[in-house]
Amino acid sequence: MPVGMHRPKPSKWKNVWPFLAILVIVPALGWAAATALSRQRTTTVSPAQSASSTTPSASPSTSEEPASGAQSASEPTPSASSSSPSASTEPDYGAVIHVLNGTGAQGYAGQKAAILNAAGYAGTSAANADGWATQASTVFYEDPRMEGTAKDVASRLGIDNVRQESGLGNPDIVVILR
């Protein structure tokens, strides 16, 4: 573009500022997305559900009752799992299973997830149990059709507590290791 009497010389920043904006905006958006995804994954339990899962059930095959009065007001009491006609006793090897380590021993959830992978549960992942307040190792499931799978997972990992819990989110089964 010619520079003349009525045209000022263009600024050098005119060509540099889009590049600088990309250098600042793209990493900021990436950080925001990573933060949002990590918070979504670790905050899948509401405080009412954490309070209800602090008391392990004595026998997993009997009827499940909420442990706190706050939860019993918001949810009906589940009936005995074995009497549910939609409950499946066959394990679903395509289930999404999250094994969460609450012991503090590094790699413990990964070892247990490897046991489940070897047993044919390909959708198994391992992570830390942030936000879970259980006192004993427990297998949680939400859908009554996953009861057989949850019991199979519990038996393979040597866990006695199997509970139906609402609000698990994406995984079909959540294993908390204590």
Side-chain angles (χ1 to χ4, degrees), residues 12-157:
K12 292 180 181 181
W13 289 103
K14 180 180 178 182
N15 294 331
V16 175
W17 78 265
F19 179 70
L20 291 176
I22 289 174
L23 282 176
V24 171
I25 292 172
V26 170
L29 289 175
W31 174 80
T35 302
L37 290 175
S38 68
R39 284 185 182 165
Q40 179 184 12
R41 186 178 69 180
T42 59
T43 58
T44 57
V45 176
S46 68
Q49 291 169 340
S50 279
S52 71
S53 61
T54 58
T55 307
S57 64
S59 66
S61 62
T62 61
S63 67
E64 309 283 324
E65 294 180 5
S68 68
Q71 186 179 6
S72 63
S74 64
E75 292 181 4
T77 303
S79 62
S81 300
S82 59
S83 65
S84 176
S86 63
S88 173
T89 57
E90 293 296 317
D92 178 7
Y93 291 100
V96 177
I97 302 171
H98 288 220
V99 181
L100 304 178
N101 184 1
T103 64
Q106 188 165 347
Y108 188 57
Q111 293 170 358
K112 297 298 185 176
I115 291 170
L116 294 176
N117 280 331
Y121 292 104
T124 304
S125 64
N128 289 327
D130 297 330
W132 291 83
T134 59
Q135 299 300 320
S137 294
T138 308
V139 177
F140 294 101
Y141 66 97
E142 183 171 5
D143 189 351
R145 294 174 291 184
M146 287 291 154
E147 179 184 8
T149 306
K151 287 182 178 181
D152 184 57
V153 166
S155 69
R156 290 181 188 276
L157 298 178

